[in-house]
Amino acid sequence: MLKMMKGIILFHIKLWYVLVELILQKVELIKKYFPLASITTDVIVGFPTETDEDFETTLNFVKDIKLSKIHVFKYSPRKGTRAATFTDDVHGTIKEERSKAVIAADRKNEEDFDFDSDAGSNEPFGTEIRLRELCRDYSGYA
């Protein structure tokens, strides 16, 4: 049984790295043809069983992929979800530290993202980018 479980875990680890590589390739392809594309994602930190190594992998992924915005959430159980049955074994202070680390990496990525550039775009798109920059403090997410 243990051998079978190790095989399943290794399969999921390999699948994770294949998916990460695929995501990186797709994002780079989008950036190549649409350099001003604003690509965002959500990141949940402190998911049950998340190890320090798991988190470092996530943080490095966030730094490498250089998205224009990341929404960071600390894991909390939601009634009716499969994850709600898991033991929430990542302490709240660790979740907070991890959240702050991803937010810091995101801020660095946002600074590197060129919101003002009109390179390779037509005027309406460039105008949208300038308006977005002007309204940055007044935006929100649904």
Side-chain angles (χ1 to χ4, degrees), residues 69 100-113:
K69 181 68 183 164
K100 287 178 181 179
V102 174
I103 289 169
D106 177 51
R107 286 193 180 131
K108 172 72 171 101
N109 289 345
E110 281 187 54
E111 290 171 11
D112 293 345
F113 187 77

Side-chain angles (χ1 to χ4, degrees), residues 31 38-45 55 58-73 98-111 113 115 132 141:
K31 288 178 178 182
S38 178
I39 306 169
T40 68
T41 194
D42 296 344
V43 171
I44 299 173
V45 298
F55 173 71
T58 300
L59 186 59
N60 289 332
F61 178 73
V62 164
K63 290 175 180 178
D64 291 345
I65 200 165
K66 297 187 183 292
L67 299 180
S68 52
K69 181 68 183 164
I70 296 173
H71 306 106
V72 183
F73 302 92
R98 291 176 180 177
S99 175
K100 287 178 181 179
V102 174
I103 289 169
D106 177 51
R107 286 193 180 131
K108 172 72 171 101
N109 289 345
E110 281 187 54
E111 290 171 11
F113 187 77
F115 282 101
R132 182 174 170 190
Y141 301 97

Side-chain angles (χ1 to χ4, degrees), residues 19-33 39 65:
L19 288 174
V20 166
E21 187 59 35
L22 182 64
I23 291 167
L24 284 169
Q25 289 173 4
K26 297 300 181 189
V27 167
E28 289 306 314
L29 186 64
I30 291 168
K31 288 178 178 182
K32 178 180 177 182
Y33 290 101
I39 306 169
I65 200 165

Side-chain angles (χ1 to χ4, degrees), residues 1-9:
M1 179 70 167
L2 182 59
K3 194 171 187 178
M4 182 181 80
M5 291 305 293
K6 282 185 177 181
I8 290 170
I9 291 168

